[in-house]
């Protein structure tokens, strides 16, 4: 129990730090934020009105406390451009980006584990070499370019998946999954390459350990040794990498959403930056950072399942 | 010496003229074992002694078909009690033998158990694999085995992970795993080397008890002649991939016929030798590529003659012994052998 408690404490601490950081990023803009938004030609009256609306006319400490209080009650202020609460805007775009990211993680896991096993079973043989070439390729091609290629092949030439038509999650989950499959795959491919390499190395290391010889000496076959013994022990570094990748997937989705015209965080954040919609930028950055922290917390919890020794620490 | 049994009875393992070759990176074929012959009778404890690098572990791995891919059987054969040719069996048939007919205990109990699986499950896995027992039955049997090998609180221990156990306890778990399917033969490769001295004696005693109770034959491999001398019925001394001396344990220890055995015995630190300088055999086991045409021990042997450098001595019977004994030394051809040279 102590372990969960400590982990929860560090989680809370990180969230507080992220709150302070997102707050300060918004405030370190030189001069008056209202002036920065409206431009030098704005009248004094306009600037005062916006300052009041933003709350930047109040002392810094008060603003920070407000930001904390707002974050605690999910009230992240109001978007300047859309005149809607930032939390509502996030909620409306969340399903798209979330599906995209989760689908990518699912694709990463579904492909990298069999490929890693195939490579590690007979190192240096044909399957290993093929996987090695594929992962090199996956690492070298950026995901937005991969996205365009996938779109051309599966969307326009083969007509397998709908192109640039996003169907809401609430309307038809199956179609929603299908319409995000290509961008999710594009995001997943470089990550699969990374995970495969980690898993291959880790699995080869495990297969050389003494306990594998013990397992064979009691009469277990190759498959039972691999799946029953070595695989689980080799997943620890893999879980770490997948946790780190979740953040990259969220960041990568900003670009890939543009390629596939998906109404997710990407388009929202880009328009928010373009319009100097600071409350919206601040809210989005906070939300993305918080999701990454939560995912890594979950990864940490999975370590305990993967490595019983961690219980002691 | 307790119950030194004649080797004339039922045999559970026979190794005959075994030759193992290592394929080196440059394509060379290097002999790892040569002309190794060995018999283990039912209920017998046979010790294999030698310095590291003499081929003891490779011999034990070859019996279970667990040799690394670079080493292959190049001659001779390995047979179990039913005269099955183990060295010709395919992987599937070997899997039915491993853990069931022939089980193995390894040197380092700290690394020989899967750190991510409870110790109970690791033992139960072997039982379920070979007997088709249900999960419940296997668990009950495992708890019984834990009790038998002297592990405390067997029910709770079943659910512990290896890192919570001491080295001695882990080796007991390994033994429980090895004897779980009542194998005919237990191969113990340096089972006590990684353990504290006090635990070493306990583990050896436990193996002896298993022999008394279940009649399990044991092939005990060690570099420590002193340690295994009290447990074994017969001892085979290995040097550079060959058996250089073999015979009843008491005989070999009292009257070593091979200079190497004599050297090993002289190197033992015994209370009776207090105050005298500890003997050591000069040099080390020659590497695979450095093995010449003569006796591999010649370069380190105090009695080496010209003949020893030119010609390999064959293993042959030693005359004037109550039990069958053999040694591979040219000196034996002369009257009285080593005893005559005087050590």
């Amino acid at each position: 129990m102590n372990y969960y408690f400590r982990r929860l404490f560090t989680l809370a601490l990180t969230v507080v730090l992220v709150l302070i950081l997102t707050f300060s990023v918004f405030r370190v803009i030189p001069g008056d934020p209202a002036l920065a938004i409206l431009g030098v030609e704005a009248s004094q009256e306009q600037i005062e009105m916006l300052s009041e609306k933003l709350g930047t006319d109040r002392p810094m400490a008060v603003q920070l406390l407000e930001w904390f209080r707002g974050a605690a009650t999910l009230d992240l202020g109001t978007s300047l451009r859309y005149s809607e609460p930032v939390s509502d805007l996030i909620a409306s775009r969340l399903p798209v980006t979330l599906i995209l990211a989760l689908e990518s993680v699912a694709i990463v896991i579904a492909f990298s584990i069999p490929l890693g096993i195939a490579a590690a079973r007979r190192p240096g043989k044909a399957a290993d070499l093929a996987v090695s070439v594929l992962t090199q390729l996956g690492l070298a091609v950026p995901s937005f370019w991969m996205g365009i290629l996938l779109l051309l092949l599966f969307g326009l030439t083969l007509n397998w998946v709908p192109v640039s038509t996003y169907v809401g999650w609430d309307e038809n989950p199956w179609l929603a999954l299908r319409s995000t499959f290509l961008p999710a795959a594009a995001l997943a491919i470089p990550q699969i390459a990374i995970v495969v390499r980690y898993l291959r190395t880790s699995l080869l290391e495990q297969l050389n350990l003494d306990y594998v010889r013990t397992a064979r000496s009691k009469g277990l076959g190759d498959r039972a040794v691999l799946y029953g013994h070595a695989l689980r022990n080799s997943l620890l570094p893999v879980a770490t990498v997948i946790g780190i990748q979740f953040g990259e997937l969220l960041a990568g989705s900003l670009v890939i959403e543009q390629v596939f015209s998906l109404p997710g965080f990407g388009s929202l954040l880009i328009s928010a930056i373009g319009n100097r919609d600071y409350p919206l930028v601040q809210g989005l950055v906070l939300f993305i950072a918080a999701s990454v922290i939560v995912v890594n917390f979950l990864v940490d919890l999975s370590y305990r399942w993967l490595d019983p020794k961690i219980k002691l620490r | 010496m307790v119950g030194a049994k004649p080797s004339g009875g039922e045999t559970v393992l026979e190794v005959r003229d075994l030759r193992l070759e290592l394929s080196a990176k440059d394509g060379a074929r290097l002999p790892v074992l040569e002309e190794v012959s060995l018999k283990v009778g039912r209920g017998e404890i046979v010790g294999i002694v030698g310095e590291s690098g003499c081929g003891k572990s490779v011999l034990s791995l070859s019996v279970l078909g667990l040799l690394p891919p670079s080493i292959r059987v190049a001659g001779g054969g390995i047979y179990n009690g039913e005269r099955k040719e183990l060295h010709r069996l395919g992987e599937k048939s070997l899997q039915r033998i491993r853990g069931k007919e022939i089980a193995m205990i390894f040197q380092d109990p700290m690394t020989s158990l899967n750190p991510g699986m409870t110790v109970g499950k690791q033992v139960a896995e072997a039982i379920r694999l070979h007997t088709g027992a249900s999960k419940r039955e296997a668990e009950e049997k495992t708890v019984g085995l834990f009790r038998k090998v002297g592990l405390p609180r067997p029910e709770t221990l079943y659910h512990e992970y290896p890192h919570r156990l001491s080295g001695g306890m882990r080796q007991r778990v390994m033994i429980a795993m090895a004897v779980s399917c009542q194998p005919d033969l237990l191969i113990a490769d340096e089972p006590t080397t990684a353990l504290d001295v006090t635990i070493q004696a306990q583990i050896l005693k436990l193996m002896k008890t298993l022999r008394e109770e279940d009649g399990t034959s044991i092939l005990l491999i060690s570099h420590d002649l002193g340690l295994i001398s009290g447990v074994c019925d017969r001892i085979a001394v290995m040097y550079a991939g060959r058996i250089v001396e073999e015979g009843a344990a008491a005989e070999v220890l009292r009257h070593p016929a091979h200079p190497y055995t004599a050297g090993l015995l002289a190197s033992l630190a015994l209370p009776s030798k207090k105050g005298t300088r500890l003997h050591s055999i000069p040099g080390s086991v020659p590497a695979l590529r450095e093995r010449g045409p003569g006796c591999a021990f010649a370069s380190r042997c105090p009695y080496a003659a010209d003949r020893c450098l030119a010609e390999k001595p064959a293993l042959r019977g030693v005359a004037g012994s109550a039990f069958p004994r053999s040694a591979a030394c040219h000196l034996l051809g002369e009257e009285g052998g080593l005893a005559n040279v005087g050590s």
Side-chain angles (χ1 to χ4, degrees), chain A residues 149-179:
Chain A
L149 290 180
L150 290 176
L151 198 60
L152 279 174
L153 181 63
F154 295 105
L156 299 175
T157 313
L158 296 169
N159 266 324
W160 284 3
V161 283
V163 174
S164 297
T165 45
Y166 176 70
V167 183
W169 183 246
D170 38 352
E171 286 170 49
N172 186 335
W174 171 240
L175 277 183
L177 269 182
R178 269 190 65 181
S179 60

Side-chain angles (χ1 to χ4, degrees), chain B:
Chain B
M1 277 300 301
V2 196
K5 287 169 192 167
S7 56
E10 196 189 341
T11 308
V12 294
L13 176 75
E14 183 176 355
V15 176
R16 208 188 301 151
D17 286 331
L18 186 67
R19 179 184 172 89
L20 297 182
E21 278 180 357
L22 171 82
S23 307
K25 289 235 163 67
D26 58 7
R29 289 264 171 85
L30 305 168
V32 179
L33 290 188
E34 285 174 286
E35 295 167 30
V36 170
S37 295
L38 189 76
K39 256 187 190 177
V40 182
R42 186 166 295 283
E44 206 179 15
I45 302 185
V46 177
I48 297 183
V49 204
E51 286 164 284
S52 41
C54 69
K56 310 172 299 233
S57 292
V58 182
L59 174 62
S60 63
L61 289 175
S62 71
V63 172
L64 278 180
L66 288 174
L67 289 172
S70 54
I71 299 181
R72 62 178 199 96
V73 176
I78 307 163
Y79 310 88
N80 70 354
E82 291 145 25
R83 315 266 321 136
K84 248 188 225 151
E85 299 175 292
L86 298 183
H87 60 288
R88 292 232 173 91
L89 288 183
E91 178 62 23
K92 276 269 170 276
S93 318
L94 280 169
Q95 281 168 16
R96 278 193 286 276
I97 287 175
R98 289 180 198 142
K100 187 158 194 251
E101 284 182 36
I102 304 175
M104 201 162 168
I105 308 168
F106 298 97
Q107 176 170 4
D108 192 351
M110 304 313 266
T111 57
S112 294
L113 288 167
N114 183 345
M117 197 188 269
T118 61
V119 290
K121 226 180 138 191
Q122 295 190 49
V123 177
E125 186 182 37
I127 297 170
R128 295 188 67 187
L129 181 73
H130 292 295
T131 64
S134 74
K135 217 174 158 181
R136 264 287 280 286
E137 289 165 355
E139 177 166 348
E140 276 166 22
K141 195 164 176 216
T142 304
V143 169
L145 283 163
F146 279 0
R147 195 169 290 127
K148 182 175 179 177
V149 298
L151 282 165
R153 311 172 284 108
E155 286 89 0
T156 20
L157 207 72
Y158 184 94
H159 302 284
E160 293 285 10
Y161 286 94
H163 69 272
R164 303 278 301 258
L165 275 62
S166 69
M169 283 164 86
R170 291 189 208 186
Q171 198 61 299
R172 283 177 198 268
V173 171
M174 286 294 292
I175 293 175
M177 185 192 291
V179 300
S180 61
C181 300
Q182 280 114 20
D184 299 326
L185 176 68
L186 182 63
I187 301 176
D189 186 1
E190 304 261 6
T192 61
T193 307
L195 301 175
D196 288 347
V197 183
T198 47
I199 312 291
Q200 290 185 350
Q202 290 176 15
I203 294 292
L204 285 178
K205 205 177 146 205
L206 171 62
M207 299 214 292
K208 243 171 138 173
T209 315
L210 291 172
R211 189 266 296 263
E212 305 301 329
E213 287 176 5
D214 303 338
T216 315
S217 313
I218 299 173
L219 187 61
L220 183 58
I221 292 164
S222 178
H223 66 279
D224 188 342
L225 188 59
L227 189 78
I228 69 170
S229 60
V231 194
C232 297
D233 304 321
R234 281 191 301 122
I235 290 180
V237 181
M238 281 188 80
Y239 187 78
R242 285 168 175 269
I243 290 182
V244 294
E245 174 157 13
E246 202 235 309
E251 284 280 306
V252 172
L253 291 173
R254 233 171 280 142
H255 309 291
H258 195 282
Y260 178 60
T261 318
L264 281 181
L265 276 169
S267 315
L268 288 178
L270 296 172
S272 59
K273 288 195 225 159
K274 199 175 170 201
T276 60
R277 201 184 167 84
L278 195 59
H279 175 83
S280 68
I281 306 174
S284 58
V285 182
L288 286 180
R289 287 178 195 275
E290 291 161 9
R291 290 176 190 171
C295 171
F297 188 60
S299 61
R300 303 168 74 188
C301 181
Y303 316 110
D306 291 347
R307 191 183 169 199
C308 299
L309 294 169
E311 193 187 321
K312 256 193 186 98
L315 199 62
R316 56 184 147 169
V318 178
S321 170
F323 294 100
R325 266 188 87 184
S326 46
C329 179
H330 290 310
L331 291 168
L332 286 170
E334 290 142 36
E335 197 75 20
L338 184 61
N340 194 32
V341 180
S343 55

